[in-house]
Amino acid sequence: MSKGVTPRSQDYARWYTDVVLKAELADYGPVRGTMVIRPYGYAIWELLQAALDSRFKATGHVNAYFPLLIPKSFLSKEAEHVKGFAKECAVVTHHRLRAAADGGLEVDPDAKLDEELIIRPTSETVIWSMYKRWINSYRDLPILINQWANIVRWELRTRLFLRTTEFLWQEGHTAHATEAEAVEEALRILDIYQDVIETEMALPVIKGVKSESEKFAGAVDTYTIETMMGDKRALQAGTSHYLGQNFAKAFDVTFRDQHNEEQYVYATSWGVSTRLVGAVIMAHGDDRGLRLPPRIAPYQVVIVPIYKDDTRAEVMEEAARIRDSISKNGTRVHLDDRDTVSPGFKFSDWEMKGAPLRVEIGPRDVAQNSAVLVRRDSGEKQNIASANLATFIPPLLEEIQTALFQQALDFREANTHRPQNWEAFKEIIDHGGFARCGWDGESETEAAIQKETKATIRVIPENQDPKGLKCIHSGKPALYEVILAKAY
RNA sequence: CGGGGCGUGGCGCAGCCCGGUAGCGCACCUGCUUUGGGAGCAGGGGGUCACAGGUUCAAAUCCUGUCGCCCCGACCA
């Protein structure tokens, strides 16, 4: 393995892959399009999971688990939903293998399933088949269930974390008595996503709603949070759908209201995935590797001891003492005691892995009762008395968290433009960035823009104001103000 | 499914045109010296050259076939 990564400016896609592999976040799986999430990458996901899960619980949601295998017939019950997923489903057709003549294994033709099974691409259909059994009265509502699961979507073009054939996510599925309640739920979740992504991941988001062509198959409305990556492209970080009564009607889920009237249930579904790990990498990384926001860094502080044979004992003793003092207030700290690699290697290694702070401790520092503290985000070094480290570090981590958010926000603002005409628009899309402009609301216009520039409507922002705007493509009066960009 | 390319130690490649029994970098192992920005030196281990058949005294190299993979065009968090 060579040193360093491909510079971002040279080849952003390769830089990204280099970082994922060299920071040991993930590796390619044996089946095309699959990936192994390695311990360090999984640790980031676990921190995100915890941040999300506690917020879900705090708003009344509970976790459950539904089966991986879905009868094929279920998927076809909601017309739009089938259309959306049919082209990327893995199908289970048999349930047994047998010894083959060549000594290997083959599918036993006698073990063909009567009804083929789909490996879930999302769980609306299984879940609503169950909700039908569980919902009879308004007294059974709302149901606020979330599940942490893996799903499979047979993707043609895959990229580690961003788009893989199998991925991990959470999917919430709620059932409500009224439209207002369901819409409120979808928006509440969007707020939670925004909070987690901005507070924990230090990544500013744009909240809003998707256009007709970009929304989830089977939804009435899809709410989204969009983020800008380091190459100025947009990344959809999470979506929350108001499903109306579409699934209730498809699965015949009704309840008796207070007046003994039979009503269809109103639904939402919402999810974020391991794609978020990819977002952190692309939004904050630099040519030295990953830069993790402290709140989701597996190790917030890494201690690198520097010693020779004759100084090893005293340095390690002091390093361990510093580690213990830092961890006392809950900071996640790691003492890198590997004897087989040099300190210089460890510096680079932990920079690649994005640890927010590094403490260097060698004989000189031991003698002075101090340590060298290095920030990953800025590279800034300072000497600090060992006794002060434990109290100095927590506020510094907060400062780094804030600095990363601010950098990402400044970057997004600097690369968000309001073109006044088509030529200017094309220029912006060509150079990369968000274009905020008017749209006449026609899907034909949207398609034409995409065809000519590869840009899509990422979001109709919640604070949009089309007054006085003209459609950037057709020139007609704008119905919406939208964010257009090339996307992942 | 249409167009282009590649299969050689774990990874990245050279060798192929012009047949002569396999090499380089990284990684790995051992030892010594090192350790404050990806250590140095010395030694060492590891390859059915994708597979099958053919030509030849001799095939990684030439011929035929098969398989696999990657890249580019219609979907998606």
Side-chain angles (χ1 to χ4, degrees), chain A residues 406-434:
Chain A
Q406 194 59 44
Q407 279 175 36
L409 181 60
D410 290 347
F411 184 78
R412 190 189 74 192
E413 292 309 303
N415 292 291
T416 299
H417 310 279
R418 296 169 181 266
Q420 300 299 312
N421 57 60
W422 181 242
E423 284 308 312
F425 173 80
K426 280 199 294 191
E427 185 109 333
I428 287 158
I429 297 304
D430 213 43
H431 284 84
F434 288 4

Side-chain angles (χ1 to χ4, degrees), chain A residues 95-122:
Chain A
H95 64 82
R96 194 192 304 140
L97 298 172
R98 66 179 186 188
D102 67 0
L105 285 173
E106 65 183 10
V107 173
D108 186 341
D110 293 337
K112 195 171 189 332
L113 296 170
D114 291 335
E115 179 174 5
E116 289 155 343
L117 302 173
I118 310 300
I119 298 177
R120 63 178 165 228
T122 177

Side-chain angles (χ1 to χ4, degrees), chain A residues 181-196:
Chain A
E181 216 183 282
V183 170
E184 188 190 348
E185 164 74 5
L187 292 171
R188 178 183 301 119
I189 296 300
L190 202 67
D191 285 342
I192 289 176
Y193 288 162
Q194 173 175 32
D195 182 35
V196 168

Side-chain angles (χ1 to χ4, degrees), chain A residues 13-275:
Chain A
R14 232 177 106 187
W15 166 82
Y16 174 78
T17 303
D18 285 353
V19 172
V20 171
L21 296 176
K22 292 194 176 175
E24 297 179 328
L25 299 173
D27 203 349
Y28 293 100
V31 174
R32 183 199 148 91
T34 63
M35 74 167 176
V36 176
I37 303 176
R38 300 184 65 177
Y40 192 66
Y42 201 79
I44 297 172
W45 176 238
E46 285 180 311
L47 289 163
L48 283 170
Q49 264 188 312
L52 288 159
D53 205 62
S54 62
R55 286 165 173 85
F56 296 154
K57 303 264 173 68
T59 45
H61 301 84
V62 289
N63 286 330
Y65 186 79
F66 295 82
L68 171 73
L69 297 173
I70 301 177
K72 192 176 76 179
S73 58
F74 278 23
L75 214 73
S76 58
K77 290 197 178 191
E78 211 286 327
E80 289 301 314
H81 195 60
V82 209
K83 270 200 271 171
F85 288 105
K87 277 167 279 186
E88 50 187 26
C89 285
V91 184
V92 177
T93 56
H94 292 76
H95 64 82
R96 194 192 304 140
L97 298 172
R98 66 179 186 188
D102 67 0
L105 285 173
E106 65 183 10
V107 173
D108 186 341
D110 293 337
K112 195 171 189 332
L113 296 170
D114 291 335
E115 179 174 5
E116 289 155 343
L117 302 173
I118 310 300
I119 298 177
R120 63 178 165 228
T122 177
S123 301
E124 274 78 4
T125 58
V126 227
I127 288 178
W128 281 85
S129 74
M130 299 310 296
Y131 282 4
K132 177 180 169 61
R133 293 166 60 167
W134 299 342
I135 297 169
N136 295 299
S137 153
Y138 71 92
R139 296 173 204 271
D140 299 323
L141 296 172
I143 293 183
L144 305 173
I145 288 181
N146 175 64
Q147 96 164 336
W148 291 95
N150 59 332
I151 62 177
V152 167
R153 295 181 186 174
W154 211 264
E155 299 287 351
L156 300 177
R157 285 197 35 72
T158 59
R159 287 189 74 187
L160 295 168
F161 286 114
L162 297 180
R163 177 167 294 111
T164 48
T165 294
E166 179 186 359
F167 59 95
L168 303 183
W169 76 345
Q170 60 67 215
E171 46 179 326
H173 297 272
T174 68
H176 306 266
T178 66
E179 167 169 6
E181 216 183 282
V183 170
E184 188 190 348
E185 164 74 5
L187 292 171
R188 178 183 301 119
I189 296 300
L190 202 67
D191 285 342
I192 289 176
Y193 288 162
Q194 173 175 32
D195 182 35
V196 168
I197 292 166
E198 294 194 335
T199 308
E200 309 288 330
M201 293 171 55
L203 191 50
V205 307
I206 299 175
K207 265 195 304 191
V209 65
K210 284 288 190 188
S211 68
E212 185 66 24
S213 70
E214 292 280 330
K215 76 181 189 190
F216 175 73
V220 173
D221 279 313
T222 289
Y223 301 99
T224 182
I225 43 181
E226 296 287 326
T227 56
M228 183 185 281
M229 299 295 98
D231 60 351
K232 307 175 199 170
R233 287 171 72 174
L235 182 86
Q236 178 177 306
T239 47
S240 178
H241 317 288
Y242 168 58
L243 301 172
Q245 296 173 313
N246 291 350
F247 284 89
K249 285 176 178 165
F251 286 86
D252 192 32
V253 185
T254 60
F255 70 100
R256 290 283 166 172
D257 68 13
Q258 288 91 326
H259 313 294
N260 200 28
E261 299 279 339
E262 190 175 36
Q263 305 262 16
Y264 282 113
V265 176
Y266 293 86
T268 78
S269 70
W270 27 274
V272 293
S273 71
T274 38
R275 169 179 255 202

Side-chain angles (χ1 to χ4, degrees), chain A residues 277-402:
Chain A
V277 178
V280 172
I281 301 162
M282 287 205 293
H284 297 309
D286 64 16
D287 284 349
R288 287 169 173 257
L290 200 52
R291 293 194 307 166
L292 286 174
R295 284 169 176 264
I296 56 161
Y299 301 126
Q300 297 167 309
V301 181
V302 169
I303 302 170
V304 177
I306 298 151
Y307 50 75
K308 301 185 184 183
D309 281 347
D310 58 331
T311 50
R312 186 175 192 282
E314 56 165 333
V315 168
M316 285 306 290
E317 195 184 322
E318 175 65 5
R321 200 159 35 230
I322 288 174
R323 176 194 59 202
D324 294 344
S325 77
I326 293 173
S327 70
K328 273 211 181 74
N329 53 33
T331 302
R332 293 185 291 273
V333 56
H334 174 67
L335 171 55
D336 187 349
D337 61 359
R338 285 177 291 178
D339 235 347
T340 49
V341 293
S342 68
F345 181 91
K346 291 176 183 177
F347 296 165
S348 306
D349 194 36
W350 289 108
E351 281 166 3
M352 184 64 67
K353 290 183 169 165
L357 285 174
R358 178 173 78 233
V359 172
E360 302 173 9
I361 173 98
R364 292 206 300 263
D365 309 293
V366 175
Q368 298 165 19
N369 286 311
S370 70
V372 177
L373 187 61
V374 187
R375 282 175 68 153
R376 174 62 181 89
D377 64 326
S378 63
E380 184 189 336
K381 288 190 185 188
Q382 57 187 310
N383 258 285
I384 188 156
S386 307
N388 296 338
L389 269 174
T391 49
F392 191 78
I393 282 174
L396 185 56
L397 288 171
E398 277 308 304
E399 195 181 317
I400 293 170
Q401 183 85 24
T402 306

